[in-house]
Short mmCIF file of all heavy atoms in Angstrom, two decimals:
data_model
loop_
_atom_site.label_atom_id
_atom_site.label_comp_id
_atom_site.label_asym_id
_atom_site.label_seq_id
_atom_site.Cartn_x
_atom_site.Cartn_y
_atom_site.Cartn_z
N THR A 276 -38.20 54.50 134.90
CA THR A 276 -37.63 55.74 134.51
C THR A 276 -37.64 55.62 132.93
O THR A 276 -37.07 54.75 132.43
CB THR A 276 -36.31 55.85 135.03
OG1 THR A 276 -36.18 55.80 136.46
CG2 THR A 276 -35.61 57.21 134.64
N PRO A 277 -38.24 56.79 132.24
CA PRO A 277 -38.00 56.70 130.80
C PRO A 277 -36.55 57.08 130.32
O PRO A 277 -35.96 57.97 131.09
CB PRO A 277 -38.88 57.83 130.44
CG PRO A 277 -38.98 58.79 131.55
CD PRO A 277 -38.84 57.86 132.78
N VAL A 278 -36.10 56.41 129.37
CA VAL A 278 -34.66 56.70 128.79
C VAL A 278 -34.96 56.82 127.31
O VAL A 278 -35.51 55.82 126.67
CB VAL A 278 -33.76 55.70 129.09
CG1 VAL A 278 -32.27 56.03 128.50
CG2 VAL A 278 -33.55 55.48 130.60
N GLY A 279 -34.44 57.94 126.63
CA GLY A 279 -34.49 57.88 125.27
C GLY A 279 -33.24 57.83 124.62
O GLY A 279 -32.18 58.46 125.06
N ILE A 280 -33.20 57.10 123.40
CA ILE A 280 -31.93 57.06 122.65
C ILE A 280 -32.27 57.82 121.32
O ILE A 280 -33.17 57.28 120.65
CB ILE A 280 -31.52 55.64 122.43
CG1 ILE A 280 -31.18 54.92 123.77
CG2 ILE A 280 -30.27 55.61 121.57
CD1 ILE A 280 -32.30 54.18 124.49
N PHE A 281 -31.52 58.88 120.98
CA PHE A 281 -31.84 59.60 119.78
C PHE A 281 -30.63 59.43 118.77
O PHE A 281 -29.56 59.46 119.17
CB PHE A 281 -31.88 61.13 120.13
CG PHE A 281 -33.14 61.41 121.06
CD1 PHE A 281 -32.89 61.34 122.47
CD2 PHE A 281 -34.38 61.70 120.68
CE1 PHE A 281 -33.95 61.53 123.38
CE2 PHE A 281 -35.43 62.00 121.48
CZ PHE A 281 -35.18 61.94 122.83
N PHE A 282 -30.96 59.40 117.52
CA PHE A 282 -30.02 59.26 116.41
C PHE A 282 -30.06 60.30 115.43
O PHE A 282 -31.21 60.89 115.08
CB PHE A 282 -30.39 57.83 115.66
CG PHE A 282 -30.57 56.58 116.54
CD1 PHE A 282 -31.72 56.34 117.24
CD2 PHE A 282 -29.35 55.81 116.70
CE1 PHE A 282 -31.75 55.33 118.08
CE2 PHE A 282 -29.51 54.79 117.56
CZ PHE A 282 -30.61 54.41 118.27
N LYS A 283 -28.90 60.69 115.06
CA LYS A 283 -28.73 61.70 114.02
C LYS A 283 -27.60 61.30 113.06
O LYS A 283 -26.45 61.05 113.52
CB LYS A 283 -28.33 63.08 114.66
CG LYS A 283 -28.18 64.14 113.65
CD LYS A 283 -27.73 65.45 114.35
CE LYS A 283 -27.45 66.52 113.29
NZ LYS A 283 -26.92 67.69 114.07
N GLU A 284 -27.92 61.19 111.72
CA GLU A 284 -26.99 60.77 110.83
C GLU A 284 -25.81 61.91 110.60
O GLU A 284 -26.28 63.05 110.42
CB GLU A 284 -27.61 60.47 109.40
CG GLU A 284 -26.61 60.05 108.41
CD GLU A 284 -27.31 59.57 107.17
OE1 GLU A 284 -28.36 60.08 106.80
OE2 GLU A 284 -26.66 58.77 106.45
N ILE A 285 -24.63 61.58 110.74
CA ILE A 285 -23.49 62.56 110.56
C ILE A 285 -23.05 62.54 109.00
O ILE A 285 -23.02 63.52 108.40
CB ILE A 285 -22.33 62.36 111.49
CG1 ILE A 285 -22.80 62.43 112.91
CG2 ILE A 285 -21.22 63.28 111.22
CD1 ILE A 285 -23.47 63.71 113.35
N ASP A 286 -22.76 61.30 108.60
CA ASP A 286 -22.39 61.08 107.27
C ASP A 286 -22.75 59.46 106.91
O ASP A 286 -23.34 58.81 107.81
CB ASP A 286 -21.01 61.40 106.88
CG ASP A 286 -19.97 60.78 107.71
OD1 ASP A 286 -20.01 59.51 108.06
OD2 ASP A 286 -18.91 61.30 108.09
N ALA A 287 -22.30 59.04 105.78
CA ALA A 287 -22.58 57.68 105.52
C ALA A 287 -22.08 56.51 106.49
O ALA A 287 -22.59 55.46 106.53
CB ALA A 287 -22.17 57.33 104.17
N THR A 288 -20.98 56.93 107.21
CA THR A 288 -20.46 56.04 108.03
C THR A 288 -20.33 56.40 109.54
O THR A 288 -19.70 55.69 110.31
CB THR A 288 -18.93 55.62 107.70
OG1 THR A 288 -18.27 56.84 107.74
CG2 THR A 288 -19.01 55.03 106.26
N HIS A 289 -21.12 57.43 109.90
CA HIS A 289 -21.09 57.92 111.28
C HIS A 289 -22.44 58.22 111.69
O HIS A 289 -23.10 59.02 110.97
CB HIS A 289 -20.06 59.10 111.47
CG HIS A 289 -18.70 58.70 111.28
ND1 HIS A 289 -18.06 58.77 109.95
CD2 HIS A 289 -17.74 58.15 112.13
CE1 HIS A 289 -16.80 58.36 110.11
NE2 HIS A 289 -16.64 58.00 111.46
N THR A 290 -22.81 57.99 112.94
CA THR A 290 -24.06 58.34 113.50
C THR A 290 -23.96 58.85 114.92
O THR A 290 -23.26 58.30 115.65
CB THR A 290 -24.98 57.14 113.57
OG1 THR A 290 -25.17 56.63 112.14
CG2 THR A 290 -26.47 57.47 114.15
N GLN A 291 -24.59 60.04 115.26
CA GLN A 291 -24.59 60.67 116.63
C GLN A 291 -25.56 59.93 117.46
O GLN A 291 -26.76 59.91 116.84
CB GLN A 291 -24.78 62.10 116.49
CG GLN A 291 -24.81 62.73 117.93
CD GLN A 291 -24.81 64.23 117.78
OE1 GLN A 291 -24.08 64.89 117.28
NE2 GLN A 291 -25.92 64.76 118.36
N VAL A 292 -25.38 59.48 118.59
CA VAL A 292 -26.23 58.84 119.46
C VAL A 292 -26.29 59.69 120.68
O VAL A 292 -25.27 60.03 121.30
CB VAL A 292 -25.99 57.37 119.78
CG1 VAL A 292 -26.95 56.86 120.73
CG2 VAL A 292 -25.85 56.65 118.42
N GLU A 293 -27.49 60.11 121.18
CA GLU A 293 -27.79 60.75 122.40
C GLU A 293 -28.62 59.94 123.29
O GLU A 293 -29.61 59.36 122.92
CB GLU A 293 -28.46 62.05 122.16
CG GLU A 293 -27.84 63.17 121.29
CD GLU A 293 -28.61 64.30 121.05
OE1 GLU A 293 -29.50 64.80 121.93
OE2 GLU A 293 -28.51 64.88 119.89
N VAL A 294 -28.19 59.88 124.53
CA VAL A 294 -29.00 59.04 125.53
C VAL A 294 -29.39 60.04 126.56
O VAL A 294 -28.72 60.73 127.22
CB VAL A 294 -28.21 58.03 126.26
CG1 VAL A 294 -29.04 57.31 127.23
CG2 VAL A 294 -27.66 56.99 125.12
N ALA A 295 -30.80 60.20 126.75
CA ALA A 295 -31.32 61.20 127.65
C ALA A 295 -32.33 60.59 128.64
O ALA A 295 -33.10 59.67 128.32
CB ALA A 295 -32.03 62.27 126.92
N SER A 296 -32.44 61.08 129.91
CA SER A 296 -33.27 60.50 130.91
C SER A 296 -33.19 61.53 132.06
O SER A 296 -32.22 62.09 132.33
CB SER A 296 -32.86 59.19 131.42
OG SER A 296 -33.69 58.78 132.46
N PRO A 297 -34.29 61.63 132.83
CA PRO A 297 -34.31 62.45 133.93
C PRO A 297 -33.53 61.88 135.15
O PRO A 297 -33.16 62.51 136.09
CB PRO A 297 -35.81 62.48 134.39
CG PRO A 297 -36.65 61.68 133.48
CD PRO A 297 -35.67 61.11 132.50
N ALA A 298 -33.17 60.55 135.08
CA ALA A 298 -32.42 59.84 136.07
C ALA A 298 -30.95 59.71 135.64
O ALA A 298 -30.72 58.98 134.65
CB ALA A 298 -33.06 58.54 136.48
N SER A 299 -30.04 60.36 136.18
CA SER A 299 -28.73 60.31 135.71
C SER A 299 -27.98 58.89 135.69
O SER A 299 -27.24 58.59 134.81
CB SER A 299 -27.75 61.37 136.43
OG SER A 299 -27.76 61.12 137.85
N GLY A 300 -28.28 58.13 136.82
CA GLY A 300 -27.64 56.87 136.91
C GLY A 300 -28.15 55.86 135.89
O GLY A 300 -27.38 55.17 135.22
N ASN A 301 -29.50 55.90 135.61
CA ASN A 301 -29.97 55.07 134.72
C ASN A 301 -29.49 55.58 133.13
O ASN A 301 -29.28 54.66 132.32
CB ASN A 301 -31.55 55.12 134.74
CG ASN A 301 -32.07 54.41 135.98
OD1 ASN A 301 -31.27 53.67 136.56
ND2 ASN A 301 -33.32 54.65 136.39
N LYS A 302 -29.56 56.80 132.93
CA LYS A 302 -28.98 57.37 131.72
C LYS A 302 -27.56 56.91 131.44
O LYS A 302 -27.29 56.52 130.33
CB LYS A 302 -29.03 58.84 131.76
CG LYS A 302 -28.45 59.51 130.61
CD LYS A 302 -28.37 61.11 130.62
CE LYS A 302 -27.81 61.67 131.85
NZ LYS A 302 -27.86 63.05 131.78
N GLN A 303 -26.69 56.80 132.49
CA GLN A 303 -25.30 56.46 132.33
C GLN A 303 -25.34 54.96 132.04
O GLN A 303 -24.49 54.51 131.21
CB GLN A 303 -24.50 56.76 133.60
CG GLN A 303 -23.08 56.45 133.52
CD GLN A 303 -22.45 57.28 132.55
OE1 GLN A 303 -22.47 58.62 132.71
NE2 GLN A 303 -21.72 56.76 131.60
N TYR A 304 -26.06 54.18 132.67
CA TYR A 304 -26.05 52.72 132.60
C TYR A 304 -26.46 52.38 131.10
O TYR A 304 -25.78 51.61 130.39
CB TYR A 304 -26.94 52.00 133.47
CG TYR A 304 -27.01 50.54 133.09
CD1 TYR A 304 -25.88 49.59 133.27
CD2 TYR A 304 -28.22 49.96 132.66
CE1 TYR A 304 -25.94 48.25 132.94
CE2 TYR A 304 -28.21 48.66 132.35
CZ TYR A 304 -27.17 47.84 132.43
OH TYR A 304 -27.25 46.51 132.09
N ILE A 305 -27.59 53.03 130.58
CA ILE A 305 -28.00 52.69 129.26
C ILE A 305 -27.04 53.19 128.24
O ILE A 305 -26.79 52.55 127.17
CB ILE A 305 -29.42 53.31 128.95
CG1 ILE A 305 -30.38 52.55 129.91
CG2 ILE A 305 -29.72 53.12 127.61
CD1 ILE A 305 -30.62 51.07 129.76
N ALA A 306 -26.42 54.39 128.51
CA ALA A 306 -25.40 54.91 127.59
C ALA A 306 -24.26 54.05 127.55
O ALA A 306 -23.76 53.80 126.42
CB ALA A 306 -25.02 56.26 128.04
N ASP A 307 -23.76 53.48 128.60
CA ASP A 307 -22.64 52.59 128.61
C ASP A 307 -22.92 51.34 127.76
O ASP A 307 -22.04 51.04 126.99
CB ASP A 307 -22.34 52.11 130.11
CG ASP A 307 -21.68 53.26 130.91
OD1 ASP A 307 -21.32 54.22 130.35
OD2 ASP A 307 -21.64 52.99 132.12
N CYS A 308 -24.17 50.86 127.77
CA CYS A 308 -24.58 49.70 127.07
C CYS A 308 -24.58 50.04 125.62
O CYS A 308 -23.94 49.45 124.77
CB CYS A 308 -25.96 49.18 127.46
SG CYS A 308 -25.90 48.40 129.11
N VAL A 309 -25.24 51.10 125.23
CA VAL A 309 -25.37 51.44 123.82
C VAL A 309 -24.02 51.99 123.23
O VAL A 309 -23.78 51.41 122.07
CB VAL A 309 -26.42 52.72 123.65
CG1 VAL A 309 -26.42 53.22 122.27
CG2 VAL A 309 -27.78 52.18 124.04
N PHE A 310 -23.31 52.65 123.94
CA PHE A 310 -22.04 53.16 123.35
C PHE A 310 -20.98 52.01 123.18
O PHE A 310 -20.11 51.98 122.25
CB PHE A 310 -21.41 54.29 124.25
CG PHE A 310 -22.22 55.61 124.30
CD1 PHE A 310 -22.09 56.32 125.28
CD2 PHE A 310 -23.20 55.74 123.34
CE1 PHE A 310 -22.82 57.52 125.29
CE2 PHE A 310 -24.00 56.87 123.39
CZ PHE A 310 -23.73 57.82 124.30
N SER A 311 -20.95 50.94 124.10
CA SER A 311 -20.05 49.88 123.95
C SER A 311 -20.54 48.77 123.10
O SER A 311 -19.83 47.94 122.64
CB SER A 311 -19.84 49.15 125.42
OG SER A 311 -20.94 48.58 125.84
N GLY A 312 -21.96 48.70 122.84
CA GLY A 312 -22.55 47.77 121.98
C GLY A 312 -22.82 46.42 122.67
O GLY A 312 -23.01 45.46 121.97
N GLU A 313 -22.58 46.35 123.93
CA GLU A 313 -22.97 45.18 124.73
C GLU A 313 -23.63 45.55 126.13
O GLU A 313 -23.50 46.63 126.62
CB GLU A 313 -21.71 44.39 124.91
CG GLU A 313 -20.62 45.19 125.67
CD GLU A 313 -19.32 44.45 125.65
OE1 GLU A 313 -18.85 44.05 124.54
OE2 GLU A 313 -18.72 44.13 126.73
N VAL A 314 -24.29 44.59 126.61
CA VAL A 314 -25.12 44.80 127.82
C VAL A 314 -24.03 44.83 128.87
O VAL A 314 -23.42 43.74 129.11
CB VAL A 314 -26.19 43.82 127.99
CG1 VAL A 314 -26.86 43.96 129.41
CG2 VAL A 314 -27.30 43.92 126.98
N GLU A 315 -23.87 45.86 129.65
CA GLU A 315 -22.85 45.93 130.74
C GLU A 315 -23.57 45.23 132.08
O GLU A 315 -24.71 45.44 132.18
CB GLU A 315 -22.63 47.40 131.05
CG GLU A 315 -21.92 48.07 129.93
CD GLU A 315 -20.52 47.83 129.70
OE1 GLU A 315 -19.80 47.51 130.64
OE2 GLU A 315 -20.09 47.73 128.54
N PRO A 316 -22.62 44.65 132.82
CA PRO A 316 -23.20 44.14 134.08
C PRO A 316 -23.67 45.35 134.89
O PRO A 316 -23.05 46.44 134.91
CB PRO A 316 -22.02 43.51 134.78
CG PRO A 316 -20.89 43.48 133.84
CD PRO A 316 -21.26 44.31 132.61
N GLU A 317 -24.79 45.28 135.56
CA GLU A 317 -25.20 46.46 136.30
C GLU A 317 -24.43 46.86 137.30
O GLU A 317 -23.95 46.04 138.11
CB GLU A 317 -26.79 46.11 136.71
CG GLU A 317 -27.66 45.94 135.51
CD GLU A 317 -29.14 45.78 136.07
OE1 GLU A 317 -29.61 46.92 136.34
OE2 GLU A 317 -29.51 44.68 136.11
N LYS A 318 -24.08 48.11 137.49
CA LYS A 318 -23.15 48.75 138.47
C LYS A 318 -24.02 48.91 139.77
O LYS A 318 -25.12 49.27 139.75
CB LYS A 318 -22.65 49.91 137.93
CG LYS A 318 -21.90 49.76 136.69
CD LYS A 318 -21.38 51.03 136.07
CE LYS A 318 -20.49 50.86 134.84
NZ LYS A 318 -21.17 50.41 133.65
N ILE A 319 -23.38 48.67 140.84
CA ILE A 319 -23.96 48.92 142.15
C ILE A 319 -23.90 50.32 142.36
O ILE A 319 -22.97 51.05 142.04
CB ILE A 319 -22.99 48.20 143.28
CG1 ILE A 319 -23.04 46.79 143.15
CG2 ILE A 319 -23.52 48.69 144.56
CD1 ILE A 319 -22.07 46.07 143.94
N LYS A 320 -25.07 50.87 142.68
CA LYS A 320 -25.17 52.39 142.99
C LYS A 320 -24.20 52.74 144.03
O LYS A 320 -24.19 52.30 145.10
CB LYS A 320 -26.56 52.70 143.32
CG LYS A 320 -27.62 52.26 142.23
CD LYS A 320 -28.62 53.10 142.03
CE LYS A 320 -29.73 52.78 141.15
NZ LYS A 320 -29.39 52.14 139.83
N SER A 321 -23.48 53.80 143.79
CA SER A 321 -22.40 54.30 144.67
C SER A 321 -22.94 54.86 145.91
O SER A 321 -22.36 54.89 146.98
CB SER A 321 -21.49 55.22 144.02
OG SER A 321 -22.21 56.43 143.57
N ARG A 322 -24.23 55.43 145.90
CA ARG A 322 -24.75 56.07 147.12
C ARG A 322 -26.19 55.52 147.37
O ARG A 322 -26.96 55.57 146.40
CB ARG A 322 -24.63 57.56 147.03
CG ARG A 322 -23.23 58.19 146.87
CD ARG A 322 -23.42 59.60 146.65
NE ARG A 322 -24.10 60.26 147.80
CZ ARG A 322 -23.96 61.60 148.19
NH1 ARG A 322 -23.30 62.33 147.42
NH2 ARG A 322 -24.48 61.97 149.20
N SER A 323 -26.52 55.34 148.56
CA SER A 323 -27.80 54.89 148.80
C SER A 323 -28.66 56.15 149.18
O SER A 323 -28.18 57.32 149.25
CB SER A 323 -27.81 53.99 150.04
OG SER A 323 -27.60 54.72 151.23
#
C-alpha cells in the first residue's frame, strides 16, 4: 500500500504534516509513528 507523508512549512518553528493513503488502517499506523516520533508497535487489526 502506498503511503505519502507531505510537509508544509507553517513558520520557522512549526511544520504541517499530512499522511495520506488509500488504506485507512495503514495510513493511521504510519501517522501514529510520524506524529509521535517513534515506531509504534503494530496494532492488531480490529476486524478481519
Side-chain angles (χ1 to χ4, degrees):
T276 305
V278 180
I280 300 94
F281 299 88
F282 303 88
K283 179 181 176 186
E284 183 176 29
I285 302 299
D286 59 37
T288 61
H289 295 91
T290 303
Q291 177 179 298
V292 178
E293 299 176 33
V294 179
S296 177
S299 60
N301 294 344
K302 172 177 64 175
Q303 185 66 56
Y304 173 70
I305 297 299
D307 289 346
C308 292
V309 171
F310 296 162
S311 70
E313 57 189 53
V314 177
E315 299 284 326
E317 294 187 81
K318 297 173 178 73
I319 298 171
K320 304 220 183 314
S321 61
R322 296 179 62 164
S323 70

